[in-house]
Amino acid sequence: MVGIGYRKDFAADFAESNDMQPSFIEVAPENWIGVGGYWKKQFQKALEQYPLFTHGLSLSIGSPDPLDFVFLKQVKQFLRQTNAVLYSEHLSYAKCNNAHLYDLLPIPFTEAAIHHVANNIKQVQDFLEERIAIEIVSYYTPVAPELSEIDFINAILQEADCDLLLDVNNVYVNSFNHQYNAKKFIEQLPMHKVKYIHMAGHEKVADDLIIDTHGEAIIDPVYDLFAFTIQQLNRDVPVLLERDFNIPELIQLQGEINRLRDIKQQILQPASYANIY
Amino acid sequence: MQTYIDTQAYQSQLARFCRTGQWEPIPGVHVQHVQQYRRLVYNVIDDMLLNAYPLVYACIEQEEWNELVQLFFSEHNCQSPQVWYMPKEFYLFLHKRQHPLLQKYPQLLNVMEYEWAEIALFMMEDIAVTYTTFGDVLFSKLILNPEHCLLHLTYPVHQKKVNTIHAEDKSCFYVIGHRNREGAVLFTDLSPALVRMIEYLAMQPLSVMQLIQQLENEYAMQLTEKDKNAVLHFFEVALQKQLLLGFSVSSEKKVFE
Ligand SMILES: [Fe+2]
């Protein structure tokens, strides 16, 4: 299964043409909760055709601020109403000092943060009555770290007993920005916890910095890392193509979807794949 | 080992930096790269506000816009988890602040009110209403589209190019915005008498005859035949534009929800 991040920018084209045929769509509940009128109609049409995966933005699971249970209740209703397959969020914080920042800030890799974040994830899972998948985010600087990124992530996954959303592009971006080996990083992740994969493009803004823009096509080294990830997993996991800006013709996005499908198929079903050709 | 208080303090410092641009050193931070967070976060806010308020942007100088955005973002704690709703907080913040630019550009608050009303109507949740399309405008009870909002403007921001509006344009403008079945937002000018009748209709379904009677009773006056025809015409058009959805259900068969 390869899905696409459903965006308002291409909603009309997507509804009217057959140029893009994902296996599912993904949205941020924040962008659709309490929305009616034109957008609701468009979204309903898409929901009639595709299963929905969700990827939250504002829950701010790594925030020093308390969790917003009023908002979480709306999320829960949204997940039920839309029959969402899965809810995922970011291992980061987007609210602090009682203010939303609407972007993903990096959590300090500290022992104290592990317990705080794991406790938040557990509370969210209890409240939603389902497991959630947590995404490793791209980050541009460490913040007062005590631990390595991998130890920090693994400790949270274990203590919170949640699933992992493995964004392969984020691992690539982080390995470049913080100079480590992306494959070794992936090898150290608990593969049995990977519930969902994200793939996207990025932008290199300096010799030593890549920004995770979701505004470009996926580059070859990230496809390679994806292939490596599927080999490590050795099982089928839903994969999402994220494209938020600079959106090309849908046929081009379908090209990326096809390439992701092919890579997965080649690795997971080498025998049957060989038979077809 | 850091206590959670330390960790929290560093998170807080980073968030403050993103909002204000004022840097207080945090251990382990890459000082060049951390600037990206300030840039990215600021751009999200600036883009959202630009999209929401293109007319405000057209009204004021670029410098003034930047100052407003910066002031808002550094001093206002955004409360909505939904970023599309954040521009409403911008409008309320400037209103509450009585920002000096509101004196320099007296139409500014009205421009914001008007632009936000359009977004709010476009995005608002659907409200289910029961009505029928069979009826007579003059005698059947009318069902007002609940997806509407009344604006009382001091400047004609809905009629004139906003940067050509001056102090002498000041007057009283009543406008109603509503969302039609296709989801488009339409604005219509109202006279004070029509505003009152819309308010009656918002309370309960009434026919044009009843609306006229109620107005005449309330203000102890008589509408001329010409006025009555104008009222009837307004409601006929309102029905076509879906400001009125239809008629109250009594014995009629066809019902929409
Ligand atoms: Fe992602």
Side-chain angles (χ1 to χ4, degrees), chain A residues 5-24:
Chain A
Y6 181 75
R7 300 291 173 259
K8 287 173 181 158
D9 309 65
F10 63 63
D13 275 359
F14 183 41
E16 283 156 23
S17 82
N18 291 322
D19 288 352
M20 184 168 67
Q21 300 192 321
S23 311
F24 63 91

Side-chain angles (χ1 to χ4, degrees), chain B residues 158-223:
Chain B
H158 61 303
Q159 292 171 346
K160 284 184 80 171
K161 267 195 154 184
V162 289
N163 46 5
T164 64
I165 293 174
H166 302 291
E168 52 271 26
D169 290 310
K170 191 172 174 180
S171 181
C172 221
F173 302 91
Y174 297 100
V175 181
I176 188 165
H178 77 281
R179 185 168 72 188
N180 69 15
R181 264 179 237 117
E182 282 70 53
V185 175
L186 308 172
F187 288 94
T188 310
D189 281 291
L190 299 175
S191 65
L194 286 171
V195 173
R196 197 67 193 118
M197 288 190 232
I198 296 281
E199 286 169 350
Y200 299 154
L201 269 183
M203 313 266 283
Q204 59 175 319
L206 293 166
S207 68
V208 168
M209 283 300 277
Q210 289 171 313
L211 288 169
I212 290 172
Q213 251 164 32
Q214 196 167 330
L215 188 84
E216 288 180 333
N217 290 343
E218 187 180 8
Y219 295 95
M221 61 161 187
Q222 288 269 291
L223 294 191

Side-chain angles (χ1 to χ4, degrees), chain A residues 229-254:
Chain A
T229 304
I230 299 295
Q231 278 159 5
Q232 294 295 303
L233 277 167
N234 197 27
R235 67 188 160 90
D236 200 358
V237 169
V239 176
L240 182 90
L241 172 63
E242 295 183 287
R243 187 65 180 257
D244 296 339
F245 300 103
N246 206 4
I247 292 171
E249 296 292 313
L250 296 184
I251 203 101
Q252 271 170 272
L253 293 178
Q254 183 61 41

Side-chain angles (χ1 to χ4, degrees), chain A residues 26 55 90 104 135-138 165-170 197-200 212 214 240 242 244:
Chain A
E26 184 208 82
H55 190 44
H90 299 86
L104 308 170
E135 181 179 35
I136 300 170
V137 294
S138 30
L165 192 182
L166 180 51
D167 187 314
V168 175
N169 177 59
N170 289 355
I197 289 179
H198 272 182
M199 285 289 284
D212 176 27
H214 299 178
L240 182 90
E242 295 183 287
D244 296 339

